[in-house]
């Protein structure tokens, strides 16, 4: 087995638990924009970039940016309700102590990702968000981007996700 030199984490569902805030924000979107898709339909696509989720839900293209803005505003206001997963600090500290690169590969946008990393004071070396690659998860491009940024081979990289 190869030596692990980089560990990449998905964010939601792995390091943080924001499902209740997502549900609250989606309910607000439904009410504000008269959207028919319920949260369970939305939840089926969690892990994709937000605009891709709206496309999958067949939301009118002209509404997508306004919906994204509204959703982001609500989730940002409610960030104190997002929970850090148990042992996150211990794990990140152990990885850094052992000179292992730590990165996030997330479908959450750059602004929101940085806001939450700062909020939880997480020691993350690299944050790969949809703005940095042409294709988002589940495509391997974001992981390959991270390994190249760290100058690390993919066989020396571990990705931890929940989907």
């Amino acid at each position: 087995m190869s030596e692990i030199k980089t560990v990449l984490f998905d964010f939601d569902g792995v390091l943080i638990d924001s499902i209740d805030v997502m549900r609250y924000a989606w309910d607000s979107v439904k009410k504000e924009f008269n959207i028919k898709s319920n949260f369970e339909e939305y939840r089926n696509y969690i892990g994709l970039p937000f605009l891709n989720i709206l496309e999958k839900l067949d939301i009118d293209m002209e509404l997508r940016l306004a919906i994204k803005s509204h959703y982001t505003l609500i989730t940002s206001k409610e960030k104190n309700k997002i929970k850090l997963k148990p042992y996150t600090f211990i794990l990140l500290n152990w990885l850094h102590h052992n000179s292992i690169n730590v990165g996030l590969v997330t479908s959450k946008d750059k602004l929101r990702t940085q806001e939450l990393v700062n909020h939880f004071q997480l020691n993350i070396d690299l944050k790969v968000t949809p703005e940095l690659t042409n294709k988002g998860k589940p495509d391997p491009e974001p992981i390959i981007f991270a390994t190249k940024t760290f100058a690390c081979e993919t066989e020396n990289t571990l990705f931890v996700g929940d989907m």
Side-chain angles (χ1 to χ4, degrees), residues 109-150:
D109 67 60
K110 180 181 177 181
L111 185 66
R112 190 81 176 100
T113 298
Q114 190 60 54
E115 177 184 27
L116 290 172
V117 166
N118 292 344
H119 176 73
F120 288 111
Q121 300 177 337
L122 299 176
N123 187 3
I124 304 290
D125 302 316
L126 175 68
K127 296 163 276 304
V128 180
T129 60
E131 296 88 349
L132 293 176
T133 60
N134 292 321
K135 297 179 182 175
K137 295 183 314 174
D139 192 273
E141 185 180 348
I143 293 172
I144 293 167
F145 177 89
T147 59
K148 286 182 179 178
T149 302
F150 282 129

Side-chain angles (χ1 to χ4, degrees), residues 28 30 60 86 104 108 126 138 150-151:
S28 179
K30 282 181 58 182
D60 186 0
L104 289 178
K108 194 175 289 309
L126 175 68
F150 282 129

Side-chain angles (χ1 to χ4, degrees), residues 6-10 104-105 137 143 157-163:
T6 298
V7 177
L8 304 172
F9 294 95
D10 185 8
L104 289 178
V105 176
K137 295 183 314 174
I143 293 172
T157 301
L158 175 66
F159 177 74
V160 181
D162 66 331
M163 297 301 235

Side-chain angles (χ1 to χ4, degrees), residues 26 29-38 57 59-60 63 67:
W26 187 252
V29 162
K30 282 181 58 182
K31 184 178 178 182
E32 181 74 21
F33 295 92
N34 196 27
I35 302 296
K36 303 293 181 224
S37 300
N38 64 36
L57 294 174
I59 304 290
D60 186 0
L63 292 176
I67 289 171

Side-chain angles (χ1 to χ4, degrees), residues 24-149:
Y24 180 78
W26 187 252
D27 287 345
S28 179
V29 162
K30 282 181 58 182
K31 184 178 178 182
E32 181 74 21
F33 295 92
N34 196 27
I35 302 296
K36 303 293 181 224
S37 300
N38 64 36
F39 182 73
E40 292 311 313
E41 293 171 274
Y42 173 88
R43 190 176 188 161
N44 287 332
Y45 299 111
I46 291 175
L48 295 175
F50 189 79
L51 292 175
N52 293 40
I53 293 174
L54 298 181
E55 179 181 359
K56 294 275 189 191
L57 294 174
D58 201 29
I59 304 290
D60 186 0
M61 188 177 286
E62 293 176 8
L63 292 176
R64 292 179 192 168
L65 290 178
I67 289 171
K68 182 178 188 229
S69 178
H70 181 83
Y71 184 92
T72 300
L73 178 68
I74 298 297
T75 56
S76 183
K77 283 183 179 179
E78 299 295 322
K79 71 177 168 275
N80 290 328
K81 295 179 181 173
I82 296 173
K83 301 171 200 104
L84 198 60
K85 292 283 193 164
Y87 308 108
T88 296
F89 284 120
I90 294 168
L91 177 57
L92 295 179
N93 288 335
W94 184 89
L95 292 168
H96 281 103
H97 179 76
N98 287 280
S99 301
I100 297 173
N101 299 314
V102 176
L104 289 178
V105 176
T106 181
S107 58
K108 194 175 289 309
D109 67 60
K110 180 181 177 181
L111 185 66
R112 190 81 176 100
T113 298
Q114 190 60 54
E115 177 184 27
L116 290 172
V117 166
N118 292 344
H119 176 73
F120 288 111
Q121 300 177 337
L122 299 176
N123 187 3
I124 304 290
D125 302 316
L126 175 68
K127 296 163 276 304
V128 180
T129 60
E131 296 88 349
L132 293 176
T133 60
N134 292 321
K135 297 179 182 175
K137 295 183 314 174
D139 192 273
E141 185 180 348
I143 293 172
I144 293 167
F145 177 89
T147 59
K148 286 182 179 178
T149 302

